[in-house]
Amino acid sequence: MPNTQVKVPLFASAEVLTASNMNISAGTGIPVFATTVTRDAAFGGAGEKLLAEGQFAYIEASDELQYYDGANWVASGTSTTSDQLILSTQVFS
């Protein structure tokens, strides 16, 4: 089941921690979407998080981690060459 959560919940001091709270908390992380179409539809609608620079998303169809650079979705991944770390800069629309 995709992780469709797009915010991290905040808890108040002395608040009773319920199973519902734990389920929200357990789903916190990088949201997983089936495709880029479902990713794009998940931001900016009523009750949805606004898309902002630095947002990550995992796309199941392409097995790819992406981040939003403020203008485009960009592939985020690493590969190593000797002792150098290289970050991908492929742009998606």
Side-chain angles (χ1 to χ4, degrees), residues 30-51:
I30 295 176
V32 176
F33 300 100
T35 66
T36 57
V37 172
T38 56
R39 174 206 65 201
D40 294 345
F43 294 97
E48 296 174 344
K49 180 178 181 180
L50 293 176
L51 184 57

Side-chain angles (χ1 to χ4, degrees), residues 3-26:
N3 171 15
T4 58
Q5 184 170 341
V6 293
K7 69 179 181 176
V8 177
L10 299 175
F11 299 101
S13 178
E15 179 178 352
V16 174
L17 185 60
T18 65
S20 178
N21 293 135
M22 287 303 296
N23 288 336
I24 292 169
S25 185

Side-chain angles (χ1 to χ4, degrees), residues 16-84:
V16 174
L17 185 60
T18 65
S20 178
N21 293 135
M22 287 303 296
N23 288 336
I24 292 169
S25 185
T28 302
I30 295 176
V32 176
F33 300 100
T35 66
T36 57
V37 172
T38 56
R39 174 206 65 201
D40 294 345
F43 294 97
E48 296 174 344
K49 180 178 181 180
L50 293 176
L51 184 57
E53 185 173 356
Q55 174 68 51
F56 276 90
Y58 182 80
I59 309 302
E60 291 178 316
S62 58
D63 291 328
E64 192 164 45
L65 180 64
Q66 300 174 350
Y67 71 93
Y68 188 69
D69 70 1
N72 298 294
W73 285 98
V74 181
S76 176
T78 60
S79 62
T80 56
T81 305
S82 66
D83 61 352
Q84 297 178 341

